[in-house]
Amino acid sequence: MAASRANTKVIVAGGGGTIGSSTALHLLRSGYSPSNVTVLDTYEIPSAQSAGNDLNKIMGIRLGNKVDVQLSLEARDMWRNDDLFKTFFHNTGRLDCASTEKEMEALREQYQTLLDAGEGFEKTNEWLDTEDQILQKAPKLDREKIKGWKAIFSEDGGWLAAAKAIRAIGLYLKEEGVNFEFGDAGSFKQPLFAKDGVTCIGVETVDGSKYYADKVVLAAGAWSSVLVDLEDQCVSKAWVYAMMRLSSQEAAEYKNHPVVYNGDVGFFFEPDEYGVIKVCDEFPGFTRFKQHQPYGASGPKQISVPRSHAKHPTDTYPDASEKSIRRAIDVFLPRFRHKKLFNRALCWCTDTADASLLICEHPKWKNFILATGDSGHSFKLLPNIGKHVVELVEDNLADDLANAWRWRPGGDALKSRRAAPAKDLADMPGWKHDPAKPRL
């Protein structure tokens, strides 16, 4: 196998994001020659179009099924102990809160699932039944705003310095001699095939460049279903965030504050080293449907097409999101309700109907591998998800993972496991800000 790895050429298209950069990393860690690994992306690592190019992401254990638990524990171990990743994990703890009867019922079920998992979570997770108990873990919350709340405090939780972690992978890959192409030369256009029309032998990019390889991995995140026909398995959706900056004294007061999440309100993070706090609301997401023909489709179809903030930097988020973000600030950080917000933006991910990843060989195209369908949960898997993509490249992915991530058209990816279907941005004013065209 070692000789095979040394001689096998692999292209990772969309390699500047979470799954793509992790895949390139684990190709090298598995013994592939750096000169035989090519990373393609529109933007340099961390790709400006990737959801992973972010100030921070939540770290937590996902309990949807045994595969989710396995991957979460594997990732947690690497965030704690792997030399490349451990400096980017801020183990502040995580506070999952509920303020309505429906949310409290779901939170109790979540806690019981933790206790029943048999992984020792009962030692690192604590049920908080009173406001006093919640304030002991998160003393900067306002007592008046959390009346009647219940919560779970997880010692395993915290936040991940997202863009910094992917950038560290990129620097490592460059130092090792991996091939990179960016811009139009790195932007996926279509797969290349052998004479049989079935065996993928490479990739053509937007500028007409052609790259050849034994295996191609498409890890394009929210752009995956735009680039190739996924038969409605994935729907690209946007979520929103805004940032505020605290004074050095204010930021010091929130040092090591746990991530606070409430499914009815949103979530916020400890300030970073520059005093910046990111605040998010919580909702089913926004789509952007339009007629589009991805490669492999017989004709144009309705596809949710992301609009890149990297290409449209003046875009923000809908007017309705300003209200919901301000509501989250009023609940979590009322003392800062008059702070100026900046970096208002849409963050694009892609949902599957069952919220499981889509990592499989395309059923019609040999040696063309899909690695997408993050459903808003993949960033915490940055250290380890690429290992399993490489297992698929080598046709030895474990059966339980292969089954969970198989090609599975159908279902309702528009709704996924969210509370309701996403709203379309065409119906949401206030987010699109194209520069005025110059007068002739």
Side-chain angles (χ1 to χ4, degrees), residues 4 71 92 129 154 176 307 344 355 357 363 369 371:
S4 175
L71 293 173
T92 58
D129 203 49
S154 171
E176 293 297 311
R307 178 170 153 117
R344 296 172 172 87
L357 292 160
I369 291 166

Side-chain angles (χ1 to χ4, degrees), residues 77-317:
D77 180 69
M78 291 187 71
W79 282 114
R80 287 175 171 175
N81 301 306
D82 191 288
D83 287 340
L84 183 59
F85 295 103
K86 62 186 181 182
T87 59
F88 304 113
F89 176 28
H90 298 260
N91 194 183
T92 58
R94 169 176 170 171
L95 201 63
D96 283 296
C97 304
S99 50
T100 67
E101 284 300 322
K102 183 179 179 180
E103 292 289 339
M104 288 178 192
E105 182 180 350
L107 195 66
R108 290 188 184 96
E109 291 177 0
Q110 177 182 331
Y111 185 63
Q112 190 60 49
T113 302
L114 284 164
L115 299 182
D116 296 341
E119 298 289 348
F121 294 138
E122 71 279 358
K123 299 176 182 178
T124 57
N125 289 268
E126 180 182 354
W127 178 262
L128 307 179
D129 203 49
T130 68
E131 294 139 31
D132 285 340
Q133 291 173 328
I134 293 173
L135 289 170
Q136 285 179 357
K137 301 295 184 182
K140 303 310 293 184
L141 292 177
D142 188 304
R143 181 182 293 273
E144 291 300 311
K145 300 292 184 178
I146 64 167
K147 282 189 174 181
W149 284 24
K150 311 292 182 185
I152 301 170
F153 178 73
S154 171
E155 295 178 5
D156 297 316
W159 62 276
L160 309 165
K164 290 181 179 179
I166 297 181
R167 186 174 292 111
I169 294 177
L171 290 172
Y172 170 78
L173 297 176
K174 288 179 180 178
E175 290 172 358
E176 293 297 311
V178 167
N179 304 301
F180 290 91
E181 292 291 344
F182 303 111
D184 287 348
S187 298
F188 178 94
K189 179 181 179 182
Q190 62 187 24
L192 298 171
F193 293 100
K195 291 182 179 180
D196 61 9
V198 172
T199 303
C200 181
I201 58 172
V203 165
E204 180 179 350
T205 54
V206 169
D207 75 340
S209 298
K210 295 180 179 180
Y211 306 90
Y212 295 92
D214 301 293
K215 302 277 186 174
V216 171
V217 178
L218 181 66
W223 276 259
S224 300
S225 57
V226 178
L227 298 175
V228 297
D229 185 16
L230 299 182
E231 297 182 11
D232 303 323
Q233 292 175 87
C234 294
V235 174
S236 297
K237 301 176 186 173
W239 282 266
V240 305
Y241 63 84
M243 299 178 187
M244 64 171 69
R245 191 180 303 277
L246 306 188
S247 69
S248 57
Q249 181 177 346
E250 290 167 341
E253 295 179 37
Y254 283 82
K255 181 69 174 173
N256 296 321
H257 196 282
V259 175
V260 178
Y261 175 89
N262 182 309
D264 189 51
V265 180
F267 51 97
F268 78 98
F269 299 82
E270 170 193 26
D272 72 355
E273 67 269 35
Y274 304 106
V276 176
I277 283 184
K278 187 178 82 172
V279 181
C280 305
D281 62 1
E282 188 59 82
F283 68 109
F286 295 129
T287 53
R288 183 173 171 258
F289 278 101
K290 58 187 296 186
Q291 285 290 109
H292 176 76
Q293 184 172 353
Y295 185 86
S298 58
K301 57 194 293 188
Q302 284 289 102
I303 296 283
S304 179
V305 179
R307 178 170 153 117
S308 166
H309 192 263
K311 293 181 179 178
H312 303 274
T314 56
D315 284 358
T316 55
Y317 51 46

